[in-house]
């Protein structure tokens, strides 16, 4: 999974998040999906004692303590699909913790499948010190292209530790879409120039919680503090819509999933309407604080799948990070200062009223 060290410290406040959410107005219809009980589609992966199923079998808790993290894996591999869960993250001090929801072609419950040329699609939640919000990143790897990580990092407009929200990955032969609730936040459209960098191998769905003290929070500055353990992440309303593949068959027949692919591409979650594309644009303008597409240090030549947006490009340095050090709060302070200067120029009495 993505191990990009990032020193950006997120300082956006809950009140500002609520204001921005109200201003942006992310309004989309709920997806039509069929959920599974845990035993219908998943198996424990590691840390069995820290994996706790609900009595009805429709939700599961993953715990991290001083001894181990935990995780689960889909019982089958898939060639394309829609993979989704409602997730609630740990609260309080969560520095150094990573909660991941991702697709990976490298391993099944039967052992390794692709050792050095795996494909991967990630949603990774990055913990933070107490009082600071969770952040998260998405990443795309194809054909073992770990030296060409395609990270984007974001903030959220809500506190993901307070209640459940749906996080989803759509993967088809044509495109990849990452969702938060029903808002598309990122799309990767396949093109010939990507070659093997576009994920094409059968993959399993994973969910894990683990100790990533070496990199997850401010580049490893803050470590996991086990005085707050156990850390608990909860998953429910699990979805596996896709073409199931025999793991022994590494390279399935190209037509084996054609019918399912056609079905997937007709689903509501596969169609980005003008309204949802507008919501995606607003999300990226407000909450994306790193994108590899604008990182000219790592990629002097822009990767072929990047659809460079002129408005996004103006916001980022050549490093792909937000201007002014990536702090939304700092930008807000500068904007307030700018407004105050303008107010003073217009009227001394107005300035006194503001103070």
């Amino acid at each position: 999974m993505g191990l990009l060290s990032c020193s950006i410290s997120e300082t956006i406040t809950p009140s500002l998040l609520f204001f921005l959410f109200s201003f942006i107005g992310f309004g989309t219809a709920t997806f039509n999906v069929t959920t599974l009980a845990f035993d219908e589609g998943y198996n424990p992966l590691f840390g069995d004692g820290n994996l706790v199923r609900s009595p009805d079998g429709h939700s599961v808790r993953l715990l991290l303590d001083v001894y181990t993290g935990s995780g689960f894996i889909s019982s089958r591999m898939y060639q394309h699909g829609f993979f989704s869960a409602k997730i609630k993250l740990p609260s309080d001090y969560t520095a150094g913790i990573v909660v991941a929801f991702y697709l990976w072609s490298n391993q099944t419950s039967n052992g390794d499948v692709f050792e050095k040329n795996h494909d991967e699609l990630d949603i990774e939640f990055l913990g933070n010190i107490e009082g600071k919000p969770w952040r998260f990143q998405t990443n795309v790897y194809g054909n073992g292209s770990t030296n060409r990580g395609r990270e984007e990092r974001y903030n959220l407009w809500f506190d993901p530790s307070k209640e459940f929200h749906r996080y989803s990955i759509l993967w088809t032969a044509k495109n990849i879409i990452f969702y938060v609730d029903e808002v598309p936040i990122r799309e990767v459209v396949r093109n010939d120039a990507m070659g093997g960098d576009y994920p094409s191998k059968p993959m399993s769905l994973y969910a894990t919680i683990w100790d990533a003290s070496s990199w997850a929070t401010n580049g490893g500055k803050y470590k996991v503090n086990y005085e707050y353990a156990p850390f608990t992440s909860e998953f429910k309303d699990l979805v596996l819509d896709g073409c199931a593949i025999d793991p022994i068959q590494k390279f399935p027949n190209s037509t084996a999933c054609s019918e399912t692919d056609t079905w997937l591409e007709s689903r509501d979650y596969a169609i980005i309407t003008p309204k949802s594309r507008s919501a995606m644009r607003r999300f990226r303008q407000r909450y994306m604080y790193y994108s590899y597409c604008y990182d000219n240090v790592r990629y002097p030549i822009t990767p072929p799948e990047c659809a460079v947006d002129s408005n996004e490009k103006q916001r980022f340095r050549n490093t792909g990070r937000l201007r002014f050090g990536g702090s939304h709060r700092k930008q807000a302070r500068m904007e307030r200062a700018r407004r105050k200067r303008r107010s003073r120029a217009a009227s001394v009495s107005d300035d006194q009223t503001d103070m």
Side-chain angles (χ1 to χ4, degrees), residues 80-95:
H80 306 142
F82 181 74
F83 309 90
S84 182
K86 287 186 176 179
I87 305 172
K88 184 179 178 183
L89 300 177
S91 59
D92 300 323
Y93 187 99
T94 55

Side-chain angles (χ1 to χ4, degrees), residues 116-132:
K116 297 182 180 180
N117 61 342
H118 76 277
D119 293 350
E120 189 172 343
L121 298 173
D122 298 331
I123 297 176
E124 295 176 304
F125 301 96
L126 311 176
N128 218 329
I129 59 176
E130 191 168 8
K132 304 295 183 181

Side-chain angles (χ1 to χ4, degrees), residues 126-144:
L126 311 176
N128 218 329
I129 59 176
E130 191 168 8
K132 304 295 183 181
W134 281 83
R135 300 147 300 131
F136 76 109
Q137 69 177 21
T138 62
N139 212 336
V140 176
Y141 294 124
N143 205 29

Side-chain angles (χ1 to χ4, degrees), residues 141-169:
Y141 294 124
N143 205 29
S145 59
T146 53
N147 64 325
R148 296 188 298 281
R150 292 164 166 81
E151 299 100 330
E152 288 187 350
R153 286 193 174 189
Y154 325 86
N155 301 298
L156 289 162
W157 65 92
F158 53 81
D159 184 343
S161 69
K162 296 298 185 184
E163 57 187 12
F164 287 92
H165 289 267
R166 182 169 293 283
Y167 305 90
S168 311
I169 304 171

